[in-house]
Amino acid sequence: MSRVIPVFKPWVPEWLIRLSLLLVILPGIILFSLSISNVSASAGYYGISPNDAQFSMIILYAATASFVVLEKRFFRNFASKVYLLISVLLMVTTCYICYNTHTFFLLLIFRYIQGMLTCTSLSITLTLMFSRLHSERSKEIGYSVVYCVLLCVSPLSVLFTASIIDSFNFNVIYKCAIYSFLPGAILMCIIMNNVRLDRKLPLYRLDWAGFVIYSASLCLIGYVMIYGQQYDWFDDNRISLSVAAIVLLLSIFVVRQLFSKRPYFYIQAFKSRSFVLAALLLFVFYICRGSFGITTSYMGSVLGIDPINQGYLLIYNLAAIVASVTIASRYMLRKKPLRHILIYGFTFLLAFHVYMCFVFSAQVDTESLILPVILQGLGAGMCMTPIILFIISSSPVKYGNTGSAVGIFMRFTGFCSSISLINYFQLYRQADHASRFHEQLSVLNPVAVQKLTLYKQALTGKGVAPDQAIKIANGLLNKNIGVQSQLRFAVDYYQVISWVLLAMILVIILFPSKKPAVINLGANQPAPVVY
């Protein structure tokens, strides 16, 4: 009788195993938000627009979303230790190339490859994490940890990269990423045995055509969402042709899924009402979560808070995320109704958006931002894991990884839609408010005259010539109008998101159900890699 070889060596303590898994997970997830942790620094270094910097992250996201199903075939073909080390080695190589390149197109290529490699490294670490936990609660706790880390990525990226970017060129971030992969890889190499976690499955009949079609569709969706506003949507042939290509490619992909023996995801899963609701909740959640970027932008552009101090402020957000994820996971383990968890989470997000509508102004002390930052963290942490586990558990077991594939698709489209909506509101609403402010400016407006007089007196008091002081005063007044227009746009957008959140809370309350929905990831339910 053959002796079963354990994944980890017998002498390794449990705390070291969990620490090693976290050290492998964290750098790969941080790469997701690397390009938007400081958009201006990224754009300035590569000589690109802020939209280009955002698109480099979208490319990575699209690669992960499209490769997540195909990756499982590769995972089964290699021993766990070899698979992990190959993934980390290739990831380090791509980081080194991104560190040395100055060409945006080459950067996009290797960011796409990084998306595929991030999927492979998280696949093995997530599986190993599940194996270390009690069988009845392994998936709930495993997903809670992963999504807690994922939610913490944005504030962690700001916290870690702010001081580096302040002292070095932007590309040094990739060198830091290289070094951050090494501790976890070295530890895993020492403590792991080279064993397989699943039966070997030969690499034959891989659906490369489906992968290419699906991946191209996601990249084009990201392209339209990011650049649509810049190119004035359908007035530009690039956007029109991209939308036509998206419709064609997705139509071909859906037809392939209906007749394929090994589809990426089963379209039949959408017959489930709960599954459709879960997908809708995830899409709306990511649109609402994206609005937090307006708050961080407000901190820097209006209040003048530098990235380092923004990172310190976001520590409160991190603490709130960890606390709410812990509470949500306890609720799920105790089989509490999912409806209650989601109502709490969306209510926290609603409170954040309503509160910020009263906070947005040109002069706010840092202490006034602590409470809304905490509310946002509580809402995001309370919603994220339950919604994704709801999508997985509501997908029948016979449909395999459909819940995972649809979940990441909804997250991807929700993230892209959030960027697109913010760009749209920022362009039109901010311009509309600016034009209204300018219409009110005249010599007959006492407020405008008073402002100009104050500016002129302050400047002449500093020794500026009177004629020059008038020009500078007009410039300062126009700058003040720009700030006020930005604040009005932020309030308008947060009001819209508040109504959306209120509608989602009502949908959750009124959604018909014969019995209270609870998260139940059975032993036979797949534990796929989900982002």
Side-chain angles (χ1 to χ4, degrees), residues 12 51 70 103 110 126 156 166 226 248 318 335 342 344 378-379 412 481 488 493 503 517:
V12 183
N51 284 346
L70 195 63
T103 305
F110 284 96
L126 191 59
L156 280 175
D166 190 54
I226 296 295
L248 177 62
L318 287 172
K335 304 302 179 184
L342 295 179
Y344 297 151
L378 291 173
F412 175 81
I481 289 174
R488 287 305 309 164
Y493 188 79

Side-chain angles (χ1 to χ4, degrees), residues 208-395:
W208 288 108
F211 165 71
V212 171
I213 294 171
Y214 188 46
S215 183
S217 302
L218 296 187
C219 290
L220 287 172
I221 289 173
Y223 178 82
V224 170
M225 293 297 186
I226 296 295
Y227 294 104
Q229 193 68 58
Q230 179 179 331
Y231 297 146
D232 204 14
W233 296 103
F234 293 103
D235 290 338
D236 190 281
N237 288 332
R238 287 169 290 190
I239 301 300
S240 300
L241 292 174
S242 296
V243 172
I246 290 169
V247 174
L248 177 62
L249 290 173
L250 286 180
S251 300
I252 295 173
F253 181 75
V254 170
V255 172
R256 284 178 57 88
Q257 301 315 295
L258 291 173
F259 295 98
S260 175
K261 292 182 179 180
R262 299 181 182 88
Y264 253 57
F265 49 76
Y266 291 84
I267 307 299
Q268 295 84 345
F270 286 94
K271 293 180 180 179
S272 169
R273 190 170 53 185
S274 297
F275 185 75
V276 173
L277 174 64
L280 176 64
L281 287 173
L282 189 58
F283 178 77
V284 173
F285 169 72
Y286 257 78
I287 288 180
C288 298
R289 181 172 175 252
S291 65
F292 190 55
I294 295 178
T295 299
T296 56
S297 176
Y298 159 74
M299 293 177 189
S301 59
V302 177
L303 301 182
I305 303 176
D306 60 90
I308 295 177
N309 285 298
Q310 282 187 42
Y312 294 150
L313 186 59
L314 292 177
I315 291 176
Y316 293 98
N317 186 255
L318 287 172
I321 289 172
V322 174
S324 58
V325 168
T326 303
I327 294 171
S329 64
R330 294 300 302 171
Y331 264 72
M332 289 186 292
L333 288 173
R334 295 172 63 184
K335 304 302 179 184
K336 295 292 184 180
L338 176 66
R339 193 189 303 263
H340 296 169
I341 305 174
L342 295 179
I343 290 174
Y344 297 151
F346 280 109
T347 301
F348 279 127
L349 288 177
L350 176 61
F352 160 71
H353 286 86
V354 172
Y355 190 94
M356 284 304 300
C357 288
F358 296 96
V359 170
F360 283 126
S361 66
Q363 294 180 344
V364 175
D365 55 87
T366 306
E367 288 74 17
S368 300
L369 296 171
I370 294 176
L371 178 58
V373 163
I374 291 175
L375 288 173
Q376 199 279 339
L378 291 173
M382 192 72 74
C383 288
M384 179 77 159
T385 306
I387 292 176
I388 292 178
L389 293 185
F390 182 31
I391 248 187
I392 296 172
S393 63
S394 60
S395 175

Side-chain angles (χ1 to χ4, degrees), residues 30 55 296 470:
I30 286 180
F55 186 61
T296 56
I470 293 175

